[in-house]
Each structure stands twice: as structure tokens, then as C-alpha cells.
Amino acid sequence: MTKYGSFPGTRPRRLRTTPALRRMVAETRLHPADFILPAFVREGVSEPVPISSMPGVVQHTRDSLKKAAVEALEAGVSGIMLFGVPEEAKKDAVGTPGTDPDGILQVALRDVRAEVGDELLVMSDLCLDETTDHGHCGVLDDQGRVDNDATLERYAEMAQVQADAGAHIVGPSGMMDGQIGVIRDALDQIGREDVAILAYTVKYSSAFFGPFREAVGSSLKGDRKTYQQDPANARESLRELALDLEEGADMVMVKPAGPYLDILARVADASDVPVAAYQISGEYSMIEAAAEKGWIDRDKAILETLTGIKRAGAQNILTYWATEVARNLR
């Protein structure tokens, strides 16, 4: 046989010969503690409501949410990120349910915190989109545009009521300029220096958010392109990262995960705080739909996508498969 360079002395395939050998040399490993479970809780329902575009995911009742939190804890998941779905009639232009101590998200935070204490991190989505009658992530001005600075005032109020309700971590997801600094100040003003901020630092205006709109009962009119990032752009992600770190973010996030692994890698390389990524609704639904058709192996596809996200630099991953995968890894 003709020799080419170091061949046949160098044979990379030697390290792929058996499952045990491949496992030993694996560079990236998933662990239950990597995962955060996003969960929806809906006001005024007596049974969990299936989300048609997200097979296997539901809008929880208060009781079923507590059960889901305990299951996540028992599986070894690190945290649960809560999204509240208020009754439609309670929505208004300024998202009043988001700052009402008796709003569904605040009630759910108290429920879950009472159920799991400090054993599971209780996290809250800090945004107005679920609570406004126009569905935008902020307050609108008299021309129908999202008013950045007026929105920050609402975010400050939301941070305080969510902290009072028991959130260990708040997750500002609205992509308003200056949101991290304002929220940090608001928390510190009420003596809640202990509450951490997971900044949605990089959030793209993505087509993959579609199923999420059903999950939160969105009333969105128009789009969010004036505040979420343009999928064509990469450099501005590092600018957003620098600003969020300067303002006091304790952790940062890239969202979506799968279509933006290059961005995730850049952010992970540049960040000196933990980096998370959100495997969003559309990513979830595509795999579930293709698997239902028999086109892909569901379980293998789930693990492959999660491994890719971690390999790109995510220390933590928000995924709707969090509890399932964590159980299977134990």
C-alpha cells in the first residue's frame, strides 16, 4: 500500500472503535445541571392546556406547574423559567398584570418557591409581551412605537414585584436599551442585591418564535424588528454583551440557540460571566414534527442539538426537553 504522509501510522478512527472508547474521549458532555426548564402557567384554567404547535408542552395550571417544578428538581435540572399567561380581559396597554402582585406570574412564582425552596432556581421572564393587549415587549408611544425609556420604568416595577414574589433570578427579555442597569438599580433599591439577572443579551427577531406566540397567548400586532436583533448581523451581539456586562448582568443568554451557534461561540469567548442559550419553541417543534413523521430519530436528534449548543459555548441551556433529557442522563 502506498503511504501518504503519516498514514497508516496515524489513524483517527482508532478512537471511534467502541462506545466505551468514544465515551471516554468525548470532548463535550451533557449533565442534568446544564438545563433550565421553560414553563408556562395560565390563569383561570382547571386543567393543563396542550399547546398544539408544541406537542408535549402545556400551559400549566398552578397545581400542575408545581408538579412540573418538583419533577425537574428530582431529575437534577438547575432551574425553571416561568412565563405567565393572564386572562385576556386583564391585558392592557401597559401590561398591568406584569406588576400586579396578584398577577398570574407573581402568584406562580410564590407557588413554586414555596414548593421547591432554594433547591431549584426559580426564574422569571421579565417582559411585557404576555401582559399587553398589543403584544409588544414595551409601552407604546402616541405613534404606536415602542417607547424604550417608558418601558424601562415598567421593567423596574416588574423586577421588584418578581423579586418580592420569590424569584431567585429575573430574565429581562425585551431587548430595551439600558434594561439591565435599570433593573439592577431597582432590585438594589429594595434590598434585593441577592437576586441575579440573566440578561437576554442576544435575542434575534426570529421566525422560530412562532409556536411560542401560541404558548403565551400573544396579542402581537406587527413585529419586533425595532428592538430585537437583525439575523443578518453578528458584530452588534458583542456590543450588546459589553453593555449588559457593564450594566451588571450576572449571566447572559443567546436566543435562539441552534440557528445562531456562531454567535453563541463568539459570546462565550468574550464573556467573563456564565453563558446560557435558549433552544426555542420552533427548534423544539421542528424536531417533534419531523420525528412524528418518522423522518428523524427523535431522541438522537434531541441529544445532538443539545450537545451542539453546549459545544458552541453554552454553560446552561433552556430547553423544553430539560426534565426528560436530565432523567435519561442520570
Side-chain angles (χ1 to χ4, degrees), residues 180-248:
I180 303 304
V182 166
I183 289 167
R184 183 72 270 160
D185 286 346
L187 291 168
D188 292 352
Q189 285 171 16
I190 62 169
R192 297 309 307 270
E193 296 88 353
D194 57 319
V195 175
I197 299 175
L198 169 57
Y200 284 59
T201 293
V202 179
K203 185 176 181 182
Y204 282 94
S205 180
S206 172
F208 293 96
F209 287 129
F212 182 87
R213 306 271 163 79
E214 178 190 353
V216 297
S218 175
S219 303
L220 181 65
K221 301 176 179 67
D223 59 49
R224 299 185 172 122
K225 293 181 179 180
T226 64
Y227 44 103
Q228 294 178 352
Q229 288 179 233
D230 185 339
N233 294 347
R235 283 194 301 270
E236 67 178 343
S237 298
L238 297 182
R239 187 183 188 196
E240 293 278 7
L241 172 65
L243 291 168
D244 281 358
L245 293 176
E246 181 182 355
E247 293 174 27

Side-chain angles (χ1 to χ4, degrees), residues 9-212:
T10 300
R11 293 181 181 268
R13 287 183 58 191
R14 288 193 188 107
L15 299 183
R16 306 170 193 157
T17 54
T18 69
L21 186 52
R22 292 192 295 273
R23 184 170 63 247
M24 185 182 76
V25 301
E27 299 174 29
T28 304
R29 302 177 192 277
L30 295 172
H31 186 277
D34 296 338
F35 301 120
I36 297 165
L37 176 68
F40 308 101
V41 57
R42 180 171 170 177
E43 187 173 21
V45 295
S46 58
E47 298 289 338
V49 179
I51 300 168
S52 64
S53 57
M54 298 178 68
V57 180
V58 301
Q59 294 172 324
H60 285 286
T61 66
R62 290 173 60 185
D63 286 339
S64 70
L65 177 66
K66 290 187 288 185
K67 181 181 178 183
V70 171
E71 290 173 349
L73 170 61
E74 292 173 345
V77 170
S78 285
I80 184 168
M81 175 69 80
L82 303 186
F83 297 84
V85 185
E87 294 177 350
E88 195 68 26
K90 294 184 178 180
K91 296 180 181 181
D92 59 21
V94 296
T96 296
T99 50
D100 181 353
D102 294 321
I104 183 58
L105 180 54
Q106 286 69 253
V107 170
L109 286 167
R110 290 194 292 270
D111 285 344
V112 174
R113 186 67 188 272
E115 193 76 16
V116 301
D118 292 330
E119 294 184 74
L120 181 73
L121 291 171
V122 180
M123 309 164 81
S124 57
D125 178 60
L126 199 165
C127 196
L128 289 171
D129 60 316
E130 294 107 47
T131 59
T132 53
D133 54 13
H134 47 73
H136 277 286
C137 298
V139 178
L140 303 185
D141 63 18
D142 56 7
Q143 297 184 53
R145 302 171 301 189
V146 175
D147 186 325
N148 191 94
D149 296 0
T151 298
L152 294 182
E153 295 179 18
R154 298 290 293 135
Y155 285 2
E157 295 177 62
M158 292 184 76
Q160 292 176 340
V161 297
Q162 290 179 2
D164 286 343
H168 292 103
I169 300 171
V170 296
S173 60
M175 292 297 289
M176 296 296 125
D177 295 340
Q179 64 184 13
I180 303 304
V182 166
I183 289 167
R184 183 72 270 160
D185 286 346
L187 291 168
D188 292 352
Q189 285 171 16
I190 62 169
R192 297 309 307 270
E193 296 88 353
D194 57 319
V195 175
I197 299 175
L198 169 57
Y200 284 59
T201 293
V202 179
K203 185 176 181 182
Y204 282 94
S205 180
S206 172
F208 293 96
F209 287 129
F212 182 87

